[in-house]
Amino acid sequence: MKSLLKLLTRTRIFIIGISCALWMMPGEAFAQRRAAKQQKKPNMTVVDGKGTYYVVADGRMTASGERYYKAKYTCAHRTLPFGTHLKVTNLKNQRSVVVKVTDRGPYGRGFVVDLSYAGAEAINILRAGTVPVHLDVVSDSVPLGPVEEE
């Protein structure tokens, strides 16, 4: 009787240990699904809202791990994946610029994008500070910088 009880206890401990190990390591399917979710980039129009720009010291580390330089066409967005190319259009003068998401923010109510200095300069919002903008997600093959008017 004691040996049977001992065997059942050992078996229970073994099963619990295996269960914990399997639970802690995600399966291949979970890892593939997570990777696919991270790589997915929306192919749609993003909301309209207020756009602004931020000026910080060159060389500051952004949330994506890249360094911020005011001469680069980059931006901050709350939710889009890093590396997403956005076409930002100033609705007051219809100027557009393509920028890459490298940081997180803005967090103010109604704000949808924070542009780098170069991006803000391209669509002429430096003086105003805040303007209504329209965001479109574009292909990564679209070059960064001001969009030529057609």
Side-chain angles (χ1 to χ4, degrees):
M1 182 71 175
K2 283 187 179 182
S3 62
L4 181 62
L5 189 60
K6 209 178 215 182
L7 179 65
L8 286 174
T9 305
R10 285 183 181 167
T11 305
R12 229 182 271 155
I13 291 171
F14 177 75
I15 290 172
I16 290 171
I18 293 295
S19 299
C20 288
L22 291 175
W23 179 74
M24 293 177 76
M25 295 184 333
E28 186 66 30
F30 294 118
Q32 286 175 352
R33 198 172 328 144
R34 189 179 319 127
K37 197 182 240 184
Q38 289 172 346
Q39 293 298 321
K40 195 183 290 181
K41 294 192 179 177
N43 203 6
M44 60 184 178
T45 300
V46 184
V47 298
D48 290 350
K50 293 186 278 187
T52 187
Y53 69 98
Y54 60 117
V55 180
V56 295
D58 275 354
R60 180 185 69 89
M61 195 67 73
T62 63
S64 67
E66 293 184 36
R67 294 201 179 276
Y68 170 84
Y69 293 103
K70 69 180 187 177
K72 288 187 173 183
Y73 294 100
T74 60
C75 73
H77 190 275
R78 277 185 233 149
T79 57
L80 288 174
F82 295 129
T84 302
H85 285 206
L86 285 178
K87 179 181 173 189
V88 182
T89 304
N90 179 343
L91 295 177
K92 286 191 172 184
N93 62 16
Q94 300 307 312
R95 287 187 178 186
S96 298
V97 64
V98 176
V99 293
K100 182 170 82 168
V101 177
T102 60
D103 209 354
R104 291 292 174 225
Y107 296 105
R109 173 177 263 159
F111 287 92
V112 293
V113 69
D114 268 340
L115 296 169
S116 65
Y117 186 86
E121 188 175 45
I123 62 173
N124 199 22
I125 68 170
L126 293 177
R127 176 171 270 177
T130 301
V131 295
V133 294
H134 175 78
L135 304 179
D136 286 309
V137 175
V138 295
S139 168
D140 292 351
S141 61
V142 176
L144 300 176
V147 175
E148 297 300 321
E149 295 168 23
E150 301 165 357

